[in-house]
PDB file of all heavy atoms in Angstrom:
ATOM      1  N   LYS I 157     135.021 115.634 143.809  1.00 98.00           N
ATOM      2  CA  LYS I 157     134.950 116.811 142.934  1.00 98.00           C
ATOM      3  C   LYS I 157     135.897 117.910 143.469  1.00 98.00           C
ATOM      4  O   LYS I 157     136.649 118.513 142.703  1.00 98.00           O
ATOM      5  CB  LYS I 157     133.499 117.310 142.871  1.00 98.00           C
ATOM      6  CG  LYS I 157     133.309 118.572 142.064  1.00 98.00           C
ATOM      7  CD  LYS I 157     133.573 118.333 140.588  1.00 98.00           C
ATOM      8  CE  LYS I 157     133.463 119.606 139.788  1.00 98.00           C
ATOM      9  NZ  LYS I 157     133.841 119.425 138.403  1.00 98.00           N
ATOM     10  N   GLU I 158     135.820 118.136 144.770  1.00 98.00           N
ATOM     11  CA  GLU I 158     136.678 119.187 145.364  1.00 98.00           C
ATOM     12  C   GLU I 158     138.161 118.860 145.193  1.00 98.00           C
ATOM     13  O   GLU I 158     138.993 119.753 145.100  1.00 98.00           O
ATOM     14  CB  GLU I 158     136.327 119.372 146.842  1.00 98.00           C
ATOM     15  CG  GLU I 158     134.997 120.098 147.040  1.00 98.00           C
ATOM     16  CD  GLU I 158     134.400 119.890 148.428  1.00 98.00           C
ATOM     17  OE1 GLU I 158     135.116 119.400 149.327  1.00 98.00           O
ATOM     18  OE2 GLU I 158     133.214 120.211 148.602  1.00 98.00           O
ATOM     19  N   LEU I 159     138.471 117.565 145.172  1.00 98.00           N
ATOM     20  CA  LEU I 159     139.873 117.162 145.041  1.00 98.00           C
ATOM     21  C   LEU I 159     140.372 117.272 143.586  1.00 98.00           C
ATOM     22  O   LEU I 159     141.543 117.094 143.319  1.00 98.00           O
ATOM     23  CB  LEU I 159     140.070 115.718 145.546  1.00 98.00           C
ATOM     24  CG  LEU I 159     140.019 115.583 147.080  1.00 98.00           C
ATOM     25  CD1 LEU I 159     139.845 114.116 147.476  1.00 98.00           C
ATOM     26  CD2 LEU I 159     141.285 116.164 147.695  1.00 98.00           C
ATOM     27  N   GLY I 160     139.466 117.513 142.656  1.00 98.00           N
ATOM     28  CA  GLY I 160     139.868 117.781 141.281  1.00 98.00           C
ATOM     29  C   GLY I 160     140.155 116.557 140.445  1.00 98.00           C
ATOM     30  O   GLY I 160     140.786 116.656 139.375  1.00 98.00           O
ATOM     31  N   VAL I 161     139.682 115.360 140.888  1.00 98.00           N
ATOM     32  CA  VAL I 161     139.910 114.174 140.065  1.00 98.00           C
ATOM     33  C   VAL I 161     138.984 114.184 138.860  1.00 98.00           C
ATOM     34  O   VAL I 161     137.998 114.940 138.810  1.00 98.00           O
ATOM     35  CB  VAL I 161     139.718 112.849 140.875  1.00 98.00           C
ATOM     36  CG1 VAL I 161     140.798 112.700 141.913  1.00 98.00           C
ATOM     37  CG2 VAL I 161     138.325 112.767 141.484  1.00 98.00           C
ATOM     38  N   ASN I 162     139.284 113.313 137.879  1.00 98.00           N
ATOM     39  CA  ASN I 162     138.478 113.274 136.644  1.00 98.00           C
ATOM     40  C   ASN I 162     137.243 112.408 136.808  1.00 98.00           C
ATOM     41  O   ASN I 162     136.240 112.611 136.116  1.00 98.00           O
ATOM     42  CB  ASN I 162     139.312 112.690 135.499  1.00 98.00           C
ATOM     43  CG  ASN I 162     140.667 113.355 135.395  1.00 98.00           C
ATOM     44  OD1 ASN I 162     141.656 112.841 135.897  1.00 98.00           O
ATOM     45  ND2 ASN I 162     140.724 114.508 134.765  1.00 98.00           N
ATOM     46  N   ALA I 163     137.344 111.408 137.682  1.00 98.00           N
ATOM     47  CA  ALA I 163     136.269 110.400 137.732  1.00 98.00           C
ATOM     48  C   ALA I 163     136.179 109.793 139.126  1.00 98.00           C
ATOM     49  O   ALA I 163     137.106 109.902 139.932  1.00 98.00           O
ATOM     50  CB  ALA I 163     136.582 109.280 136.724  1.00 98.00           C
ATOM     51  N   VAL I 164     135.039 109.147 139.368  1.00 98.00           N
ATOM     52  CA  VAL I 164     134.951 108.256 140.525  1.00 98.00           C
ATOM     53  C   VAL I 164     134.556 106.880 139.996  1.00 98.00           C
ATOM     54  O   VAL I 164     133.877 106.767 138.966  1.00 98.00           O
ATOM     55  CB  VAL I 164     133.937 108.703 141.604  1.00 98.00           C
ATOM     56  CG1 VAL I 164     134.280 110.066 142.167  1.00 98.00           C
ATOM     57  CG2 VAL I 164     132.519 108.669 141.099  1.00 98.00           C
ATOM     58  N   GLU I 165     135.019 105.851 140.686  1.00 98.00           N
ATOM     59  CA  GLU I 165     134.530 104.507 140.391  1.00 98.00           C
ATOM     60  C   GLU I 165     133.703 104.069 141.594  1.00 98.00           C
ATOM     61  O   GLU I 165     134.205 104.038 142.730  1.00 98.00           O
ATOM     62  CB  GLU I 165     135.692 103.533 140.155  1.00 98.00           C
ATOM     63  CG  GLU I 165     135.178 102.130 139.842  1.00 98.00           C
ATOM     64  CD  GLU I 165     136.240 101.196 139.260  1.00 98.00           C
ATOM     65  OE1 GLU I 165     137.187 101.677 138.620  1.00 98.00           O
ATOM     66  OE2 GLU I 165     136.092  99.982 139.471  1.00 98.00           O
ATOM     67  N   LEU I 166     132.444 103.794 141.351  1.00 98.00           N
ATOM     68  CA  LEU I 166     131.551 103.404 142.443  1.00 98.00           C
ATOM     69  C   LEU I 166     131.768 101.936 142.777  1.00 98.00           C
ATOM     70  O   LEU I 166     131.756 101.077 141.896  1.00 98.00           O
ATOM     71  CB  LEU I 166     130.083 103.657 142.052  1.00 98.00           C
ATOM     72  CG  LEU I 166     129.736 105.108 141.688  1.00 98.00           C
ATOM     73  CD1 LEU I 166     128.268 105.186 141.217  1.00 98.00           C
ATOM     74  CD2 LEU I 166     129.959 106.050 142.874  1.00 98.00           C
ATOM     75  N   HIS I 167     131.965 101.661 144.050  1.00 97.00           N
ATOM     76  CA  HIS I 167     132.194 100.284 144.516  1.00 97.00           C
ATOM     77  C   HIS I 167     130.838  99.553 144.512  1.00 97.00           C
ATOM     78  O   HIS I 167     129.921  99.912 145.251  1.00 97.00           O
ATOM     79  CB  HIS I 167     132.763 100.325 145.932  1.00 97.00           C
ATOM     80  CG  HIS I 167     133.361  99.044 146.401  1.00 97.00           C
ATOM     81  ND1 HIS I 167     132.712  97.841 146.303  1.00 97.00           N
ATOM     82  CD2 HIS I 167     134.578  98.773 146.961  1.00 97.00           C
ATOM     83  CE1 HIS I 167     133.500  96.885 146.789  1.00 97.00           C
ATOM     84  NE2 HIS I 167     134.638  97.434 147.185  1.00 97.00           N
ATOM     85  N   THR I 168     130.742  98.530 143.664  1.00 98.00           N
ATOM     86  CA  THR I 168     129.468  97.801 143.540  1.00 98.00           C
ATOM     87  C   THR I 168     129.476  96.482 144.331  1.00 98.00           C
ATOM     88  O   THR I 168     128.586  95.646 144.158  1.00 98.00           O
ATOM     89  CB  THR I 168     129.154  97.515 142.057  1.00 98.00           C
ATOM     90  OG1 THR I 168     130.298  96.899 141.448  1.00 98.00           O
ATOM     91  CG2 THR I 168     128.799  98.784 141.291  1.00 98.00           C
TER      92      THR I 168
END
Side-chain angles (χ1 to χ4, degrees):
K157 176 67 184 174
E158 286 161 14
L159 286 165
V161 292
N162 311 97
V164 300
E165 180 166 332
L166 301 175
H167 195 310
T168 51

